[in-house]
Amino acid sequence: MPKRLPKVDVVLVGVGWTGGILASELTKAGLTVVGLERGKERKTEDYFMVHDELRYALRYELMQDLSRETVTFRSNEKVRALPMRSYGSFLLGDGLGGAGVHWNGQTYRFLPYDFQIRTQTIERYGANKIPAEMTIQDWGITYDELEPYFDKFEKMAGISGEENPLGGKRSDKYPTPPMKKSPTVNMFIEAAKKLNLHPYMVPSANLSENYTNPDGVARAACQYCGYCERFGCEYGAKADPVVTVIPVAKKTGKFEIRSHSNVRRILHTGNRATGVLYVDVTTGEEIEQPADIVVLTSFVFNNVRLLLMSNLGRPYNAANNTGVIGKNYAYQVFKGQSVGFFNDSEFNTFAGAGSLGACLDDFNGDNFDHSDLNFIHGANIAYTQTGKRPIQNNLVPKGTPGWGKEFKAASIKYYNSTISVAAQGACMPFRHHYLDLDPTYRDAYGDPLIRITFDFEEQDRQLTQYLASRCEDIVKEMKPSLVETAKELGPYDITPYQSTHNTGGVIMGADPATSAVNSYLQMWDVENLFVVGASAFAHNSGYNPTGTVGALAYRAAEGILKYRKSGGGILV
Amino acid sequence: MANQEENKDSSTISRRKFLANSGYAIGGLVVGGVLGSLLGREPKQQTPAPNQSAPQQTPDFNQALMFFTQEQFKVVDAATERIFPKDDNGPGARDLGVAFFIDHQLAGEYGFNARDYMQPPFFPGEKVQGYQGRLRRREIYEIGLREMQNYSMSKYKKNFYDLAPEEQDAVLTAFEKDEIKLTTTSASGFFKMLVTNTLEGVYADPLYGGNKNMSGWNLKKYPGNQMSYANIIEKEGLPQIKPASLRDHLSH
């Protein structure tokens, strides 16, 4: 029999960005909260030796241990799904702060179009614009309704930026000014302006200046050391949960973090969650944590997996298009890019920050006419100077051998002399892209792994072709010696790194028949269970997801407090 | 070398700047310890690290084998030197200690795929599903290196490491193009891993046994482990900064 602990107001499954935000907001309002985190504690002191490309970027120091749990993947239902045995396409965070520790900090707001994508696409182009198998739907909330929560997230994290000339309306400016502009960032901005495009500085969670947020948390400015993505910040300059929301929750005295606590099931009686069952991974002991309200705040895959393993909600069935849990898995279409090689210029590109860069949305969302194009949506086009680290950056012109004397010479010659402009393509959901439980492969506890069924579609190939050409226009304007552009998307391959922007599976919406959670991320079928994260995205936009994840987390916190106050029921 | 003094200065200035920043941070909630722990520490870079300019006096005790046999080591040393040869740009894999780096990596968790999912059942998959074999990296190396020797012997009647450079290239190319069939793993898969590990050994921090004396970083004018680029991020051109390693970061 598992040990049974005293009941608390709220139990959180996972303590990353969403868990941290909820802990902070709910404890400030007086609730007692327990956060169960299956990894270890993390703190800024851990990153004393962080400028280590091998350990962090190539040996995945901060990532989930795949020997204990991974995912399985197949391109379609006819293929046997096989485990992702080592890392490639995306990197799963682990430990306190989760993936919020190793992110770059690029903090966008999704476009107004995103939240009403089905309605607006049909209004402008007619219903035939949407292919039969494409399952886009409105999110059950508008940009204007979500705007205050974006603002709240940005002020908590201290986002450094300037207004996006083609973005949604803002109630306030960014709390800190944009990052410093490097020479190559200026080159991108100048080139884009010459093409009459609308560049702006990437909204950055790497602080441009010292900042004290509304909770009284003070953090120092970014030093442009060039070690953000895959690394933790040794200065606390990059906003992450450990240096922002978690200390605020702890200070209330009402937040208890239990690390090394792996949740295996959500406990429930009928349509009410009663708590969770977890394992202390250091002893193997099984423990029950009862709670009035259960909140899933782990990564996309684990949110879906826990619901399916706990028999909560209606599992999605692609064959007859019923159910919702696991539906609308989406990713990022991130292959279209153009590279300029400069024979006679060298740049300071070894320096940088995860969110140092400039970008534009002229070809994102529905900011351009798709009447004559065979795709919808688009991509944010960006040049980022994140710090070129030497093991992973060996760009050479096509035709150069992959090893030997010529490779060595070219990889050294161009190391400080290339500029890449990339399109971060939106990813539309399709009927046969989904998550479910794998019938064969198991984790360290004997529980089934999550199974991904996903491939790129014609929509994605067309988008990539078009957007890569727009990247090429900008690079050409910079007058490099040589331009090379990647326009062919190919099939989805789980081996090369693309992005950790996995989305969907517990999607939000206005209709319980086609969505799993409402606009407060409350489950339609289980009113005291909230599922928070990019799992709520009904599709993925042409942006990094964290800004929108953060906004939704603040909205969920408000919903939980309302729910608590009203004494129950589904929030409208 | 003329820039050395200047760079020492700029690194000291940036350090002072952090200390100022950290004082600011301590005014609110204390959220980080690294800044605090820097207080009172002498910038290590002020003291020239040993072995930088003077010829090496003490032996490098790290240059011994944890995993490879002597023969395997000689094959890897010769092969990685062809992948990343010494030339007018500077040292190649041999002088940078790359074979020692690979030996040390295979001896530990990387060689055992300790953090990879290695549970059965094993099925051959589609290319897009990634590696699905049951062999661990150290086993792939053992098989690949044995076959490099076998192939060299059968074709040239010599050890791989005794072949002329062009012949070594021909053997490596045969692996790269899967002209050699290995019974349990793919020749090109092994070769790809060898190339990846070579670049890691050239450019990883010297603490791992390669990139000797940071000479790999010098090839790319990469400054290694630096506290801050806030002073140079807006500057045109490529700033020349003397590299520092993680060892320079430790206070004793």
Side-chain angles (χ1 to χ4, degrees):
Chain A
M1 277 292 282
K3 179 167 84 181
R4 195 180 162 89
L5 298 173
K7 191 161 101 170
V8 294
D9 293 334
V10 178
V11 65
L12 305 171
V13 181
V15 189
W17 262 132
T18 58
I21 289 168
L22 282 153
S24 165
E25 293 303 295
L26 299 181
T27 55
K28 281 192 281 182
L31 272 57
T32 56
V33 178
V34 165
L36 300 173
E37 168 53 52
R38 61 185 179 180
K40 63 180 179 182
E41 285 266 1
R42 292 197 191 281
K43 52 195 182 307
T44 301
E45 291 91 323
D46 296 348
Y47 312 123
F48 182 55
M49 285 277 146
V50 80
H51 293 170
D52 186 337
E53 186 184 10
L54 185 75
R55 174 179 171 189
Y56 287 91
L58 291 120
R59 301 288 181 265
Y60 310 114
E61 172 75 21
L62 298 177
M63 310 311 166
Q64 179 181 310
D65 179 350
L66 294 183
S67 76
R68 301 184 63 80
E69 184 190 326
T70 184
V71 303
T72 70
F73 159 66
R74 56 182 182 172
S75 307
N76 60 63
E77 287 132 327
K78 296 186 194 90
V79 178
R80 187 203 310 264
L82 293 173
M84 178 176 81
R85 295 194 179 273
S86 47
Y87 276 114
S89 180
F90 45 83
L91 302 174
L92 307 168
D94 182 63
L96 194 65
V101 170
H102 76 256
W103 70 319
N104 260 334
Q106 299 171 20
T107 312
Y108 295 96
R109 296 175 169 198
F110 282 10
L111 295 163
Y113 171 69
D114 282 309
F115 301 100
Q116 294 168 291
I117 189 168
R118 186 168 194 94
T119 303
Q120 291 193 11
T121 303
I122 292 172
E123 268 172 19
R124 187 165 174 185
Y125 306 106
N128 287 339
K129 187 73 180 171
I130 303 169
E133 298 280 285
M134 187 192 281
T135 51
I136 50 169
Q137 57 189 60
D138 294 354
W139 289 36
I141 195 166
T142 63
Y143 170 86
D144 290 340
E145 287 169 316
L146 203 52
E147 202 284 336
Y149 309 99
F150 278 118
D151 185 62
K152 207 164 183 184
F153 181 75
E154 289 164 0
K155 284 177 176 156
M156 176 276 293
I159 302 305
S160 305
E162 61 191 7
E163 184 161 357
N164 173 5
L166 302 174
K169 196 168 176 300
R170 299 180 61 88
S171 59
D172 199 357
K173 61 185 184 359
Y174 284 103
T176 53
M179 301 289 278
K180 294 181 181 188
K181 293 188 179 76
S182 68
T184 52
V185 168
N186 279 322
M187 286 168 71
F188 173 86
I189 292 172
E190 290 313 309
K193 281 183 179 165
K194 276 188 210 159
L195 294 167
N196 296 316
L197 302 172
H198 299 82
Y200 64 101
M201 291 294 283
V202 170
S204 164
N206 324 128
L207 283 178
S208 63
E209 61 181 30
N210 295 344
Y211 177 68
T212 304
N213 78 6
D215 290 315
V217 175
R219 288 158 45 227
C222 174
Q223 298 298 320
Y224 301 87
C225 77
Y227 286 81
C228 276
E229 189 175 35
R230 307 191 184 195
F231 306 87
C233 183
E234 67 197 304
Y235 306 120
K238 174 171 78 177
D240 84 28
V242 178
V243 299
T244 54
V245 283
I246 291 171
V248 173
K250 276 185 174 169
K251 205 180 167 192
T252 64
K254 291 182 168 294
F255 184 42
E256 185 193 344
I257 299 172
R258 283 183 215 140
S259 60
H260 302 99
S261 300
N262 190 63
V263 175
R264 290 185 60 195
R265 294 291 183 279
I266 306 153
L267 304 170
H268 55 101
T269 309
N271 287 336
R272 278 194 83 81
T274 55
V276 298
L277 171 74
Y278 70 95
V279 178
D280 176 338
V281 302
T282 62
T283 62
E285 189 182 13
E286 290 201 321
I287 302 166
E288 271 185 37
Q289 177 60 66
D292 286 338
I293 297 169
V294 176
V295 191
L296 302 190
T297 46
S298 59
F299 197 64
V300 168
F301 296 121
N302 212 38
N303 281 356
V304 176
R305 185 166 169 259
L306 277 172
L307 290 174
L308 293 173
M309 291 197 305
S310 308
N311 295 313
L312 280 167
R314 294 151 284 142
Y316 177 63
N317 183 340
N320 58 15
N321 211 5
T322 58
V324 285
I325 308 300
K327 177 181 158 175
N328 280 25
Y329 172 73
Y331 191 47
Q332 201 87 67
V333 183
F334 213 161
K335 209 168 175 186
Q337 65 160 343
S338 186
V339 185
F341 295 83
F342 294 78
N343 285 339
D344 308 310
S345 305
E346 288 186 310
F347 310 115
N348 64 356
T349 42
F350 59 71
S355 313
L356 171 59
C359 60
L360 49 91
D361 289 315
D362 298 73
F363 307 103
N364 202 358
D366 204 30
N367 289 346
F368 59 115
D369 185 11
H370 292 72
S371 301
D372 299 325
L373 299 169
N374 290 320
F375 64 94
I376 61 166
H377 216 301
N380 173 268
I381 289 178
Y383 165 70
T384 54
Q385 182 169 338
T386 58
K388 268 187 190 162
R389 297 173 293 267
I391 302 174
Q392 290 198 290
N393 288 282
N394 290 288
L395 266 178
V396 292
K398 272 186 201 119
T400 311
W403 56 281
K405 192 174 165 56
E406 275 182 73
F407 168 78
K408 181 187 176 189
S411 63
I412 291 168
K413 175 180 163 68
Y414 288 111
Y415 179 61
N416 299 298
S417 302
T418 61
I419 294 180
S420 301
V421 172
Q424 177 161 209
C427 184
M428 298 303 106
F430 284 80
R431 182 170 166 177
H432 293 277
H433 299 175
Y434 60 91
L435 303 172
D436 65 356
L437 296 177
D438 190 275
T440 307
Y441 291 96
R442 308 261 151 182
D443 72 4
Y445 303 98
D447 286 330
L449 300 180
I450 199 81
R451 174 169 69 178
I452 303 171
T453 305
F454 179 77
D455 202 353
F456 290 133
E457 304 288 338
E458 189 57 21
Q459 145 85 20
D460 306 310
R461 284 185 277 278
Q462 294 282 338
L463 184 153
T464 301
Q465 287 267 355
Y466 183 82
L467 267 296
S469 302
R470 302 292 75 76
C471 294
E472 187 177 70
D473 296 341
I474 298 168
V475 171
K476 279 185 174 161
E477 200 61 43
M478 298 185 207
K479 311 280 185 243
S481 316
L482 174 70
V483 180
E484 285 182 2
T485 305
K487 293 183 185 175
E488 298 307 320
L489 181 61
Y492 173 64
D493 182 339
I494 203 164
T495 61
Y497 184 74
Q498 287 151 74
S499 92
T500 308
H501 306 165
N502 315 76
T503 65
V506 195
I507 65 172
M508 60 194 292
D511 180 1
T514 55
S515 60
V517 293
N518 63 23
S519 72
Y520 289 99
L521 309 191
Q522 178 187 33
M523 266 188 75
W524 292 116
D525 297 341
V526 190
E527 66 174 48
N528 66 333
L529 179 57
F530 291 71
V531 186
V532 187
S535 52
F537 291 8
H539 69 271
N540 197 14
S541 185
Y543 288 122
N544 305 62
T546 304
T548 302
V549 169
L552 290 174
Y554 276 103
R555 170 127 176 129
E558 193 183 294
I560 289 167
L561 293 173
K562 271 189 187 171
Y563 172 75
R564 180 90 182 168
K565 209 171 164 187
S566 66
I570 290 290
L571 300 157
V572 181
Chain B
M1 295 305 263
N3 283 330
Q4 244 173 273
E5 285 306 311
E6 273 172 44
N7 288 321
K8 274 182 200 163
D9 289 341
S10 70
S11 102
T12 309
I13 289 161
S14 64
R15 239 167 238 272
R16 283 199 199 107
K17 204 170 153 191
F18 296 143
L19 300 186
N21 288 344
S22 76
Y24 178 77
I26 288 161
L29 274 176
V30 179
V31 294
V34 169
L35 293 169
S37 71
L38 289 169
L39 288 162
R41 192 192 317 146
E42 283 298 306
K44 180 72 184 168
Q45 236 181 322
Q46 296 274 6
T47 326
N51 309 336
Q52 286 297 302
S53 46
Q56 199 165 323
Q57 296 297 313
T58 50
D60 184 347
F61 294 106
N62 188 268
Q63 295 209 329
L65 300 178
M66 301 175 184
F67 170 65
F68 287 140
T69 64
Q70 194 177 9
E71 183 181 84
Q72 287 169 336
F73 177 79
K74 284 160 88 172
V75 175
V76 173
D77 194 43
T80 54
E81 179 65 17
R82 292 314 300 158
I83 290 167
F84 200 84
K86 185 175 186 168
D87 65 2
D88 295 344
N89 288 296
R94 178 168 291 137
D95 290 343
L96 293 168
V98 167
F100 287 110
F101 166 86
I102 296 177
D103 171 76
H104 299 355
Q105 287 294 303
L106 293 176
E109 68 171 22
Y110 178 74
F112 284 103
N113 297 58
R115 297 178 75 227
D116 291 341
Y117 188 83
M118 298 303 282
Q119 300 304 312
F122 292 94
F123 297 105
E126 307 289 323
K127 186 173 167 288
V128 295
Q129 291 175 303
Y131 177 68
Q132 293 296 335
R134 62 185 75 214
L135 294 175
R136 291 161 199 270
R137 292 185 186 92
R138 49 164 49 199
E139 295 164 330
I140 294 175
Y141 261 90
E142 287 174 324
I143 293 165
L145 296 175
R146 188 166 62 225
E147 191 54 33
M148 280 175 73
Q149 279 289 68
N150 289 344
Y151 184 79
S152 304
M153 282 295 182
S154 68
K155 192 157 180 192
Y156 301 105
K157 308 281 182 285
K158 278 183 185 170
N159 291 305
F160 175 81
Y161 46 82
D162 291 328
L163 298 177
E166 302 73 40
E167 292 168 337
Q168 289 175 337
D169 287 355
V171 175
L172 293 171
T173 304
F175 273 76
E176 183 184 23
K177 297 192 169 161
D178 272 324
E179 285 159 16
I180 291 158
K181 295 292 167 219
L182 302 179
T183 48
T184 45
T185 189
S186 101
S188 62
F190 163 65
F191 180 75
K192 204 173 154 191
M193 184 158 66
L194 188 61
V195 172
T196 300
N197 295 154
T198 301
L199 291 172
E200 289 171 353
V202 169
Y203 296 121
D205 190 278
L207 86 89
Y208 296 101
N211 186 14
K212 199 167 170 57
N213 294 330
M214 303 184 281
S215 302
W217 287 343
N218 280 326
L219 292 169
K220 284 184 166 176
K221 301 172 194 162
Y222 184 71
N225 165 45
Q226 302 288 333
M227 296 296 284
S228 174
Y229 295 126
N231 293 338
I232 61 105
I233 192 70
E234 291 166 305
K235 293 207 169 125
E236 297 285 340
L238 181 64
Q240 304 294 311
I241 300 173
K242 184 176 162 278
S245 72
L246 287 170
R247 183 173 179 274
D248 296 314
H249 212 62
L250 267 188
S251 56
H252 295 283

